[in-house]
Amino acid sequence: MNPLNEQPTSSKILYIGSYGTAEEPTIHVCTFDPKTGELAVIQRVEGLENASYLTLHPSGEYLYAASETGTTGEAEGGSVAAFIIDKKTGLLTSTSNRSLTHGAHPCYISTDSSGQALFAANYTGGNVALLPITAQGELKEASSIEQHAGELGPNAARQDAPHAHCIVPLGDSPYVCAVDLGIDAVVVYRFDADKHTLTSHSTSKVHRGAGPRHLIFHPALQTGYVMNELDSTITLMKVEKENGTLTAGQAISALPAGFDGYNDAADIHLGISGRYLYSSNRGHNSIAVFAVDQENGELTLIQHVDCGGGSPRNFALSPDGGHLLVAHQKTGNVNVFMVDQESGLLAKTAASLELTSPVCIKFATA
């Protein structure tokens, strides 16, 4: 732990996870000034290898970080570490609390809305795990581990096995959805909060070779959106929360017409109004902006903006929706964009922060 200074009262706190060894700082606590767009590091946290994904407890009192490794000590699989957040400063205190995900290379974690469970997607392991959370925010040993299976996609190099890439709760329903790049599917589980179990419920397919990576749900419409890594498309999913089913609808490219270079699509988020959707392209190195039809949820592409770096793996919208911050894994920079919340369009600012291999940005809760 290396606190640098106190939080200015006008600034927001955010956390940035990075790839690196346990001897390097792989979590950075930063301030963000919404008036100027300026970013500053106030704490560097060491001791965790490859902090590839972060999530916050709903209370805002704890931060959880996935260690994307094939092994943890002598045990197979990656792990998740818990940190205590100082609510006044945003600074982190490390704990000895760390739990295995029982699968190699966990790349995505989330919690249920009550803060009773953490869900982990293990990419190489091709499985998902549920880690119970105590009332004190501590992670317990995994109580449910589910292995994915199914018909593999046609991309032999990337779809050689199931590859769980994302796991998120389906709103306020009792279902949790896991995206699998290897089998071109979203696997839906029923979550029992009392027993801390996941039970396979249904499987929703996207088109073959899509390579689904991330999934988000619209806060008002009965729709979800899958970011497909391998063919750089976004699939609209029609959602029925009551019975936990998703049905694929519109599929739209996240690339400009005529682009024929290499690209891997990465992250996807909705603006706070739900009227605009944003996605990142690695290769084309851009953020794509879409307008969201407020009746049927379908997307219309309205902008591509150069994101100012290489391999924009992850990005985040500021709590007020006025800025979008992009983390570039290859070039090691976090760039800041203004968001016109009326039109949804992005404009690059001069604000930037240099870090080694930043791959995840999470704003602290108020």
Side-chain angles (χ1 to χ4, degrees):
M1 296 292 175
N2 183 16
L4 300 181
N5 55 270
E6 294 294 317
Q7 173 193 358
T9 56
S10 62
S11 296
K12 303 297 182 183
I13 287 289
L14 57 91
Y15 305 94
I16 301 177
S18 302
Y19 280 110
T21 69
E23 290 71 40
E24 300 172 299
T26 56
I27 300 177
H28 290 81
V29 184
C30 302
T31 56
F32 172 70
D33 189 329
K35 292 183 178 179
T36 66
E38 182 181 355
L39 287 163
V41 177
I42 60 172
Q43 185 184 22
R44 297 185 175 95
V45 180
E46 302 172 355
L48 191 72
E49 183 178 359
N50 295 340
S52 66
Y53 208 83
L54 312 174
T55 197
L56 281 86
H57 190 277
S59 68
E61 297 178 351
Y62 310 99
L63 176 82
Y64 304 106
S67 180
E68 189 180 323
T69 62
T71 59
T72 300
E74 297 181 355
E76 292 187 3
S79 61
V80 180
F83 298 84
I84 299 171
I85 298 174
D86 185 310
K87 293 288 285 184
K88 291 183 179 180
T89 65
L91 298 177
L92 300 176
T93 299
S94 63
T95 70
S96 58
N97 181 219
R98 188 164 173 171
S99 291
L100 294 174
T101 61
H102 295 277
H105 302 108
C107 59
Y108 196 105
I109 54 175
S110 62
T111 68
D112 74 310
S113 60
S114 68
Q116 296 182 70
L118 180 139
F119 310 109
N122 296 303
Y123 179 80
T124 304
N127 63 352
V128 297
L130 186 161
L131 283 60
I133 302 175
T134 71
Q136 293 73 40
E138 293 185 347
L139 298 170
K140 300 177 71 175
E141 286 298 312
S143 59
S144 191
I145 303 164
E146 295 293 323
Q147 184 65 44
H148 286 184
E151 182 184 5
L152 299 178
N155 187 326
R158 295 294 311 279
Q159 297 181 304
D160 57 326
H163 291 302
H165 214 312
C166 169
I167 182 165
V168 290
L170 176 51
D172 56 0
S173 77
Y175 301 104
V176 178
C177 300
V179 176
D180 195 296
L181 181 147
I183 59 175
D184 289 325
V186 179
V187 183
V188 181
Y189 294 95
R190 178 178 282 275
F191 167 52
D192 188 317
D194 294 326
K195 296 180 180 178
H196 287 102
T197 58
L198 294 174
T199 305
S200 181
H201 175 71
S202 64
T203 298
S204 303
K205 301 290 284 188
V206 298
H207 57 278
R208 279 179 56 77
R213 176 184 174 92
H214 280 185
L215 168 65
I216 57 172
F217 292 107
H218 197 282
L221 305 175
Q222 296 298 304
T223 58
Y225 301 91
V226 177
M227 181 79 261
N228 299 309
E229 178 175 337
L230 299 185
D231 71 354
S232 302
T233 60
I234 298 171
T235 299
L236 182 153
M237 305 296 286
K238 298 176 182 179
V239 177
E240 295 183 38
K241 286 186 181 180
E242 295 78 11
N243 57 19
T245 60
L246 283 67
T247 305
Q250 177 196 33
I252 184 171
S253 177
L255 290 169
F259 177 79
D260 61 358
Y262 174 83
N263 191 74
D264 279 336
D267 204 10
I268 185 169
H269 294 282
L270 283 158
I272 61 173
S273 69
R275 295 164 54 204
Y276 301 101
L277 180 145
Y278 304 86
S279 70
S280 64
N281 289 305
R282 298 175 294 178
H284 188 249
N285 290 331
S286 64
I287 302 296
V289 185
F290 299 85
V292 180
D293 187 297
Q294 295 301 288
E295 292 187 3
N296 59 25
E298 291 193 351
L299 303 177
T300 301
L301 179 67
I302 59 173
Q303 184 188 30
H304 280 101
V305 60
D306 186 324
C307 56
S311 192
R313 182 181 171 109
N314 180 263
F315 64 93
L317 287 148
S318 60
D320 65 0
H323 291 85
L324 184 146
L325 282 62
V326 186
H328 299 95
Q329 181 179 352
K330 285 188 177 179
T331 51
N333 54 314
V334 177
N335 289 346
V336 180
F337 292 80
M338 292 283 292
V339 180
D340 184 321
Q341 295 191 64
E342 183 58 35
S343 68
L345 300 179
L346 301 178
K348 192 175 186 300
T349 73
S352 184
L353 179 67
E354 301 297 318
L355 293 175
T356 301
S357 300
V359 291
C360 186
I361 302 172
K362 290 291 180 182
F363 276 89
T365 55

